[in-house]
Amino acid sequence: MTGVTPSLFPADRLFLIAGPCQLEDDTLNLRVGEALAKLAEHVPGGVIFKASFDKANRSNVDGVRGPGIEAGLAALDRVRAATGLPILTDVHEATQCAAAAQVVDVLQIPAFLCRQTDLLVAAGATGKAVNVKKGQWMHPEGMAGAVRKVEAGAALAGIALGDLAVTERGTFFGYGDLVVDMRAFARMRTACNVPVIFDATHSVQQPGKGQGGASGGAREFIPPLTYAAVAAGAQGLFLETHPNPDRAPSDGPNMIQLDDLPALVARAVDVWDRTNR
C-alpha cells in the first residue's frame, strides 16, 4: 500500500539483526555495515545493523565498554549514512531513550533489564521500534508483561507505538552455560502477540568461562541452533558478527565470523521457505 512505512519486524518474512557486539572505530563499523548492506539483498525481511555504544553489563570493571552515548550515536549515524540500513542499539537507562531515538530506528532492551519498568516505558514513549530480549531466567509467557510496559509508554505519551518484538537468547543451565528451549518461540508468539526473534550468538555464550572471568562461548553451535529456531517458529534472527571475533573487545567467542555469515543466512532463509510454505 502506497505511503505505508514497511515494518522493521515483518511477521511474514525472515529478517535479520546483525553487527558487532560493540562499536569500534569507523573502519570496523563500516566494514561490517557494508557487508550487511550487500547481504540485505538476500534477506526477505531486510537487515538491521546493530552495535552497542556502551556495554554497561560487563562482568569485570576493567572490561572495554565502548565509546559512550554521544560518540556512539554519532558513529551509528555514520553507518546509516554509508549503508542506508536501519540502526539498532541498546539502552540501559530510561534517560538514554530520547537521545538514542533521535538517531536510531530500534531501541533494544538487554535481557538483564527486561523487567525494568521505567526503561521499558521510556522506550515505548519514543515511538521508535523496540526489541526486548527475554531474561535468561524468564519463562516465555513472562515476556507479556514487558510488552505491555512498552505499549503503556506509547499510550502515556499519546503516540503510535512503533514496531515491537521479543527475543529469545537462551536460558541459564546451571552455572556458565545456556540452553534454548525450542518450544519458547511458539509460546512467546502466543503470549505476546508480537514477532519473536532468535539471538543465536548470545545463546551459545558461556558466562564467566572465558579468560579472566570474561564470557566464553561455543560458536560452532550457532548454525544448528539457528536452523532449528527458524524451523520452530522464529520470525527474525539476531546474529553478532565480526571480521575477527577472536580479537573483538567483547563477546568474541560467541560471535560468527563475518565471512561465514552469508552462507549461514542463506541456509536459514531456505529453512524459512521450506517451513512456511
Side-chain angles (χ1 to χ4, degrees):
M1 182 175 176
T2 303
V4 175
T5 302
S7 174
L8 291 169
F9 306 141
D12 60 345
R13 289 167 290 137
L14 187 68
F15 59 93
L16 172 65
I17 299 168
C21 177
Q22 68 174 254
L23 286 162
E24 298 182 39
D25 58 37
D26 279 346
T27 300
L28 183 284
N29 301 335
L30 295 174
R31 178 179 175 183
V32 176
E34 288 165 0
L36 293 175
K38 292 178 181 177
L39 184 59
E41 302 172 12
H42 307 286
V43 181
V47 174
I48 300 169
F49 177 90
K50 67 79 50 188
S52 298
F53 58 78
D54 182 12
K55 300 300 294 183
N57 54 353
R58 298 298 299 272
S59 297
N60 300 311
V61 70
D62 56 353
V64 179
R65 290 182 52 168
I69 188 167
E70 185 174 348
L73 291 176
L76 289 168
D77 201 31
R78 290 191 290 272
V79 173
R80 178 210 297 285
T83 67
L85 292 174
I87 304 294
L88 173 151
T89 199
D90 296 296
V91 286
H92 296 87
E93 301 173 4
T95 55
Q96 295 176 340
C97 292
Q102 296 298 311
V103 174
V104 306
D105 303 276
V106 185
L107 301 179
Q108 181 166 273
I109 309 300
F112 283 127
L113 301 177
C114 70
R115 293 182 62 177
Q116 294 296 105
T117 300
D118 290 346
L119 177 59
L120 291 160
V121 170
T126 66
K128 291 290 184 174
V130 178
N131 178 36
V132 188
K133 288 194 169 183
K134 180 172 77 65
Q136 296 90 324
W137 67 94
M138 294 275 286
H139 64 289
E141 289 76 16
M143 287 299 290
V147 168
R148 302 290 91 81
K149 289 177 182 181
V150 176
E151 292 174 337
L156 288 169
I159 60 174
L161 180 67
D163 293 322
L164 182 55
V166 293
T167 293
E168 169 61 46
R169 52 92 73 233
T171 299
F172 278 133
F173 183 68
Y175 296 112
D177 210 354
L178 296 158
V179 296
V180 180
D181 181 352
M182 291 296 162
R183 301 172 299 176
F185 302 104
R187 289 172 60 180
M188 279 205 290
R189 285 173 67 172
T190 298
C192 299
N193 197 33
V194 298
V196 177
I197 300 167
F198 176 50
D199 179 350
T201 44
H202 284 100
S203 291
V204 302
Q205 192 178 64
Q206 295 175 319
K209 289 191 173 182
Q211 186 175 2
S215 291
R219 72 169 68 99
E220 66 270 23
F221 295 112
I222 294 171
L225 286 174
T226 297
Y227 309 141
V230 172
Q235 293 151 293
L237 294 173
F238 181 105
L239 295 164
E240 289 192 334
T241 185
H242 194 282
N244 189 350
D246 292 333
R247 294 180 64 89
S250 64
D251 281 5
N254 54 267
M255 279 198 279
I256 188 167
Q257 181 89 22
L258 183 62
D259 289 344
D260 295 336
L261 186 62
L264 172 64
V265 171
R267 191 166 182 182
V269 171
D270 181 60
V271 173
W272 169 275
D273 289 341
R274 291 172 183 271
T275 53
N276 286 276
R277 288 174 178 167

